[in-house]
Amino acid sequence: MIIDSHEHLGDCYVYDHSVSEEGLLGALNKNGVDGALVFPFPGAADAPAVHNDIAALAKKYPGRIYGVVSLNPHRSPDEFDREVKRCVDMGFKGIKIHPFGHACPLGARDAQKVFVAARTYGIPVIVHTGLGVPYTLPSVVMQPARQYPEVTFVIAHAGAYIYSAEALLVAQECPNVYLETSWCSAHRIREFVEKLGPERVMFGSDIPINIESELAKYRSMLPDETLKCCFAETARSVFKLPS
Ligand SMILES: [Zn+2]
């Protein structure tokens, strides 16, 4: 069983990416990935429209595609909360904040909307880290993780290798923090597993073309029992996915 805990659908004007339904499903099928958490890119021109596309995909592939909210926190409080609630009602499993792509540092007033929504609806927060420093240093997760101890935080890209030691430190200091490892090196992923345990570490790819290489990093150095946990069980438990 493999769950990709970080996938996108649609277009992104921040990173100039585009992922189609066929591209996403084709890559999942090709690599034997059973399920994926899918969210709009931070530079989606119309995030609610992409939420609708993800909801439609989840309906078409039940148990394979799970939605995650990704909405610019600078929207008005009413608009923001209404859209998060709409997505949660459609079965979405988490909420993402991209401090660089959403132009919203975690210490900004508007970022609080994301943490409060996560607490209100009982869903984890995914925080992008890596590209976009200093707003995307893993250490910025520590303050909200402590302020909202009942909320689960996932450090996306776990610092993207260059800041991975810092991502590890945050996870060691905050028990409500988990690491998603796309763009990290194999030896860093092994260090996360050794120091945090596999139940705090999850596989993610970020884009379909990465799936094969991200899986290979794990397979090249970890035993089957550990793979089982990092490939599916961690994500299943953090995002409360049905088994
Ligand atoms: Zn991403």
Side-chain angles (χ1 to χ4, degrees), residues 2-241:
I2 303 175
I3 296 169
D4 187 342
S5 58
H6 192 135
E7 275 288 4
H8 297 278
L9 186 72
D11 301 324
C12 182
Y13 59 72
V14 173
Y15 289 110
D16 243 343
H17 278 316
S18 187
V19 176
S20 67
E21 177 183 330
E22 298 71 36
L24 174 60
L25 266 297
L28 298 180
N29 290 337
K30 179 179 165 227
N31 292 287
V33 176
D34 304 279
L37 287 134
V38 182
F39 23 116
F41 281 111
D46 184 353
V50 182
H51 290 151
N52 288 341
D53 293 342
I54 293 168
L57 207 57
K59 214 168 175 181
K60 196 163 153 191
Y61 300 99
R64 278 212 88 184
I65 301 293
Y66 299 100
V68 169
V69 184
S70 181
L71 190 65
N72 196 302
H74 296 306
R75 286 178 182 243
S76 76
D78 276 2
E79 204 187 342
F80 187 84
D81 192 56
R82 208 177 323 120
E83 178 61 10
V84 177
K85 185 177 184 315
R86 191 180 76 88
C87 290
V88 170
D89 288 345
M90 294 194 292
F92 281 37
K93 302 296 184 190
I95 183 165
K96 161 104 179 266
I97 180 167
H98 196 303
F100 174 71
H102 289 146
C104 188
L106 292 205
R109 189 184 49 196
D110 281 345
Q112 303 303 308
K113 289 177 197 161
V114 175
F115 312 136
V116 169
R119 186 175 61 190
T120 303
Y121 299 109
I123 51 176
V125 176
I126 301 173
V127 181
H128 166 93
T129 64
L131 280 181
V133 164
Y135 303 109
T136 56
L137 285 169
S139 55
V140 300
V141 179
M142 194 177 272
Q143 193 280 327
R146 285 184 168 155
Q147 190 182 343
Y148 298 89
E150 63 280 68
V151 173
T152 297
F153 288 79
V154 176
I155 300 188
H157 319 311
Y161 177 63
I162 190 166
Y163 304 109
S164 287
E166 194 176 297
L168 174 63
L169 191 62
V170 175
Q172 284 173 318
E173 289 296 312
C174 304
N176 53 333
V177 169
Y178 293 72
L179 303 182
E180 176 272 297
T181 59
S182 51
W183 306 105
C184 290
S185 67
H187 79 286
R188 277 296 192 204
I189 295 172
R190 184 167 58 195
E191 188 185 5
F192 296 155
V193 168
E194 282 169 1
K195 295 192 171 157
L196 297 168
E199 61 285 343
R200 303 274 300 283
V201 180
M202 67 182 88
F203 154 74
S205 75
D206 199 14
I207 42 175
I209 201 172
N210 277 0
I211 294 177
E212 190 173 345
S213 53
E214 292 295 339
L215 287 172
K217 291 178 195 173
Y218 278 88
R219 287 180 173 136
S220 67
M221 48 144 197
L222 291 168
D224 283 354
E225 267 317 293
T226 306
L227 293 183
K228 228 173 108 185
C229 190
C230 299
F231 278 177
E233 286 163 18
T234 304
R236 197 176 286 296
S237 132
V238 164
F239 293 98
K240 300 182 187 131
L241 307 181

